[in-house]
Amino acid sequence: MPTIGVFALQGDVREHVRSLEEAGAKAVPVRRPAELDAVDGLVIPGGESTTMWKLAETFDLLEPLRMRVKNGMPAYGSCAGMIMLADRIQGGIEGQQTIGGIDMTVRRNAFGRQVDSFEADIDFAGRGALRAVFIRAPWVESVGPEVEVLALAEAGDRIVAVRQGPLLATSFHPELTPDAGVHSYFVEMVREL
């Protein structure tokens, strides 16, 4: 059983822990570098990407996160976590930093403000319909040649889920639905590596 951490300084921590446990992993909160060192993979939850970046710096986690990702640790980012795994951001605040790792450009709050939140059925990774919850969600503007597009949504076929090697990212919040399909997919990724 893999041990998967959930970045626990901000965001949907409890919901991701529950979904990971339903998917067959041991889930633990990660707030410090020593806790990061003890996990096989990491989930970066939805929340607010600028707050996550600043808290990661404050708690001396940003550089250790970058190093673990660079060295091949599997990581999954949902919503703000997708932004944190992006190599490039559109619509970020001046100087905003990410962990990086996925060769993509992400647009912050692309689907609109909080009042524009919505749910939609999408086909995730060819596994059939999955209910996706979009809350102030980003979308992927462009991807590099090594990035696999796993799901599209809304008019214009916006990219809302991607994978590059051991890294997975979604615009939506699967932890807010009873379907643990995305988390199961990530747990399988961790087991494979």
Side-chain angles (χ1 to χ4, degrees):
M1 175 185 301
T3 299
I4 299 177
V6 179
F7 179 84
L9 298 179
Q10 203 248 351
D12 294 341
V13 177
R14 284 177 297 190
E15 294 85 349
H16 278 289
V17 166
R18 176 189 46 79
S19 294
L20 287 166
E21 289 172 347
E22 286 177 18
K26 177 183 176 188
V28 297
V30 170
R31 295 181 186 91
R32 304 196 186 316
E35 295 166 342
L36 178 63
D37 290 341
V39 299
D40 302 312
L42 183 72
V43 171
I44 305 162
E48 210 293 314
S49 61
T50 57
T51 300
M52 288 181 169
W53 153 53
K54 291 175 184 178
L55 287 171
E57 281 193 326
T58 299
F59 283 81
D60 295 321
L61 266 173
L62 190 59
E63 286 309 315
L65 283 165
R66 286 177 173 156
M67 289 309 298
R68 285 292 313 269
V69 165
K70 182 179 178 182
N71 291 328
M73 176 187 70
Y76 163 48
S78 68
C79 198
M82 172 184 258
I83 296 166
M84 292 297 290
L85 289 175
D87 284 347
R88 296 167 302 281
I89 306 172
Q90 289 183 353
I93 66 168
E94 186 174 331
Q96 183 172 350
Q97 297 181 38
T98 68
I99 297 163
I102 300 180
D103 182 11
M104 66 179 170
T105 301
V106 172
R107 180 179 298 277
R108 287 181 74 234
N109 301 327
F111 283 105
R113 303 180 62 75
Q114 192 84 17
V115 297
D116 299 314
S117 299
F118 66 98
E119 295 183 25
D121 290 324
I122 62 168
D123 178 16
F124 175 77
R127 294 180 168 207
L130 173 83
R131 192 72 175 164
V133 178
F134 295 86
I135 303 170
R136 289 181 47 218
W139 68 48
V140 179
E141 288 283 340
S142 64
V143 296
E146 302 297 315
V147 178
E148 178 184 4
V149 174
L150 299 177
L152 303 171
E154 199 164 281
D157 290 330
R158 298 295 182 183
I159 301 170
V160 296
V162 297
R163 178 178 179 178
Q164 183 175 354
L167 304 178
L168 174 69
T170 62
S171 297
F172 53 91
H173 292 267
E175 74 281 5
L176 298 180
T177 72
D179 186 339
V182 174
H183 290 82
S184 294
Y185 183 90
F186 181 62
V187 171
E188 289 173 26
M189 286 174 55
V190 174
R191 284 186 175 128
E192 289 171 4
L193 298 173

